[in-house]
Amino acid sequence: MLAAGVDVGAATAKTAIVKDGEVIAWDVMPTGDYVEQAALDITLSALNKAGYTMDDLDHVVSTGYGRRAVKFSERAISEIICHAKGVNHMYPEVRTIIDIGGQDSKVISVRPNGTVADFVMNDKCAAGTGRFLEVMAEVLKLDISEMGPTALSSPHPSIINSTCTIFAESEMVSLRAQKTPKEDIVAGLHRAVSRRVGILGRQVGYKEVIAFTGGVAKNSGVVHFLETFLETKILVPEPPQLMGAIGAALLANSNLGVTNFHDEPEEPAGDVGFDVSGEI
Amino acid sequence: MSLNYTELFKMCGLDEAWQEANKERLDKFLYQIFIRTQEDVDASIEWTKGQYNTDSPGVRKLLSVMMRECIDYALARDEHEIVINYARPTMCTLSQGLHVAERRINKELGYNKYYARGTSIVDVMIIMGSVFNKSNWMIEIAEDMGQTAAKGHCSEYQIWEGGLEKGMIPVPDVEIGCGIFCDQAPEVELMMADEFGFDMVFTDMPEDHAWDSWPAMDPEAVKFISENTEMVYKYLSEKYGFTMTEEDKTQGALEATQLYTTYFRIAELLSRTDGLPISRADLSLAFIQFIVGGVYVEDLLEGFKLIEKEIRGNIRKGNWVCPPGSPRVFATMTPIADLRFFHEAEDVGINVCNLWFEYLPEAGLTAPYSSDVPKEQMYEMIYRFNGLGDLCGSQLRLVKDAVEKLKLDGVMVFTCMFCRPLCLPANMTKDFLGKEHPDLPVILMELDAYDSRNYTPEQYRTRLESFAEILRMNKEMSA
């Protein structure tokens, strides 16, 4: 069976191609403004890498915030479920997943069979997400890829407010005015992100082994400060941002998620609600 | 500008004949609540259709009651000499006597001297929110005036404040403040009385009993509320000539009991049924009304009966909103001004089969009363409802009991950020259930009963979908 799992997040779109339960190809690209086009492009790219075409696919499952916009998908499953499945497939010993994406973060408690026991998510506030680090990188005129190594080079991380991106930015400006070394500021920012998510996860509770997924898991600084906060080593799957897509592909034969989203309007429904006439 | 609102009010159970007879009132009402263009009317129609099944006779009947109550309240100053409000969220065991007295006194006088209702604010919030989609706007008006939620005023009071500020609803002559649900409410009311210049009198209710005292309530507290309520009635009589007789109070208690028993029959039916035969959004109309009562009590009872008939018919015919086998959950709260949350939950197959005040364990009904006085026993029953007695202690026990007795698959605990009574027990409830039933899926979700600005369907859809999957998998694993 050949399945594609398409994870369309706010920042990036990812597709994993799974054949008979094995990941054979994957790809990642920025989502941009056109969700369905991004999903299609990334799926074609991943298929191309695997040497297949859309016609070869037996199943397509979508996940992520844009999951219902992927009209060529037959099933849309929430990213919580897909992440748990994907990580469990690759690393069955994991019991807690910390996922920090571009615009949200979540902590998921996973059972040995890959099902979700509990979860908590923050999608209201940029603090504790990839966006927080992007904003700060822009202000510091650093490439996002330089942030982690810069943080690790600091011997004295600054103390920075961890609860609000805007306030953290203000604090950063003050620290720079006080001639605080850049690496200390960057380290302070990484500690702030890690603390924010670490505290969020306490609502669910941490059981080892703890895995760290999402694009931000590629940031060595956040990995370091999360390990410091949690006082344990954490596992970073490879590639960390593909776990949702892998999980989606693996759930292709399941009855999870929704299948009746193809007739929904592409633009947000706004204040026009749901017609339930006839459902009773 | 002449508006075509026939369809809108028909959808809300008010037929063309009624509209024609009340045309002047409707025109004034719509203007007063800032529904002033045909676009506003058309948008309201679409919004209402998205909230309720407006083809349902029961829904229309209940909407007709709420709409009439809302119109009555908006025009109360124009149509009555004296406006008496009994603040939110009143239990109709306390306020129904007022409604009876209003009907009787005005009939005896031959004109509408008094508007005396405990329904006003609640029905305004429901109609302004779920029909006209204006509750968020009213909240923002209050925030512009400095009454932010951060100052500790819940969105309910913000709606009221916004409505008063914009003249959408009248300033009363006297407000009966009530701390039945929130000890902060009377403070807010006092502040608004000062701001808008109206009289206040308090049905003071000590909300917090000793932890673990439920269902045995503090007899002194019960006696206090009973005597205090009599003081309020005496005040209304002496200062405003609004005199409630013992027959009014008895009739009020009887009507309240009829509303309660009729609604609880529906709630019991749902909680024992495998599958959800009616949308919780539609049932919310009945849920609110059984709590607050009203002057149109016969229509209310008819609406409840129509809803029950529909439910039973749907069960017989196999018409389900959530089919049998869907996970059954208890919810600790309900949205009131925007019901899209329920549609999302039902869309993903979550059957909210019981919620909030609907569940009363046997001990709540059978525990001996602390008083021999029937009136005081009635007040004691109010305390025994979920979250109204010893607040945190009773909610924990009631939810646990609901899980066990109703054999539920999960619990949705809502934390309502700007509501002390509702946010304090939320985490405690989750933790408590985690210890008592470690394998029971429990989700903690933020939601506000009236303010939907921060709670978009997209945000809670991901949570609901994930929770639905957890519930299903758990059900399969424990089968």
Side-chain angles (χ1 to χ4, degrees), chain B residues 37 65 75 181 205 215 235 240 244 366 372 382 410 458 470:
Chain B
T37 67
V65 169
L75 305 180
F181 190 73
M205 292 188 72
Y235 183 84
Y240 296 96
M244 286 171 65
T366 58
D372 294 328
I382 295 172
E458 279 306 322
I470 293 171

Side-chain angles (χ1 to χ4, degrees), chain A residues 73-85:
Chain A
S73 155
E74 69 205 49
R75 185 177 295 278
I77 306 176
S78 87
E79 57 268 38
I80 307 277
I81 304 297
C82 291
H83 265 90
K85 182 67 179 176

Side-chain angles (χ1 to χ4, degrees), chain B residues 342-363:
Chain B
F342 280 136
H343 296 307
E344 289 286 351
E346 287 152 13
D347 235 14
V348 299
I350 296 177
N351 171 1
V352 180
C353 67
N354 200 266
L355 56 73
W356 209 2
F357 298 120
E358 285 178 357
Y359 188 75
L360 189 63
E362 197 179 318

Side-chain angles (χ1 to χ4, degrees), chain B residues 283-347:
Chain B
L283 191 61
S284 70
L285 294 168
F287 174 78
I288 294 299
Q289 293 301 294
F290 103 84
I291 294 170
V292 300
V295 296
Y296 304 108
V297 69
E298 285 176 15
D299 287 339
L300 268 183
L301 286 168
E302 192 189 332
F304 286 12
K305 286 173 186 163
L306 285 169
I307 291 281
E308 185 182 351
K309 191 175 164 191
E310 284 168 37
I311 290 172
R312 292 188 186 275
N314 285 335
I315 293 171
R316 268 197 314 275
K317 292 177 211 160
N319 292 337
W320 303 104
V321 172
C322 295
S326 301
R328 296 163 68 249
V329 307
F330 180 88
T332 60
M333 199 187 81
T334 176
I336 292 175
D338 182 350
L339 288 312
R340 290 179 292 173
F341 177 88
F342 280 136
H343 296 307
E344 289 286 351
E346 287 152 13
D347 235 14

